[in-house]
Amino acid sequence: MAIDGLPVGESFEVVLVRTDGRELDSGTFLGAAQTVTCRMNAAVLRGDVAALQIRNAAGTVVASSNLPRV
């Protein structure tokens, strides 16, 4: 994952949303002045993931992407 434009020093959580609606934590990162590039994972098969969300410390979704079916 590569992301930029988030407030520097603030904490963010990556959440994977399964096709059945369940959510899985996939990791955390800090906003930075440069592009943040990282790999996240969770105990789920790619075909079972419907969306990826980035949430701030308050739990608000600040970015999301629906993933194509595989």
Side-chain angles (χ1 to χ4, degrees), residues 1-51:
M1 178 179 77
I3 190 164
D4 57 20
L6 295 174
V8 175
E10 289 190 22
S11 178
F12 297 91
E13 176 183 23
V14 178
V15 176
L16 301 178
V17 181
R18 293 174 46 114
T19 54
D20 64 7
R22 291 190 303 172
E23 298 179 351
L24 299 164
D25 294 333
S26 186
T28 60
F29 66 94
L30 295 174
Q34 68 278 0
T35 299
V36 175
T37 303
C38 54
R39 292 182 184 212
M40 304 291 192
N41 61 43
V44 62
L45 296 173
R46 168 58 189 89
D48 293 333
V49 179

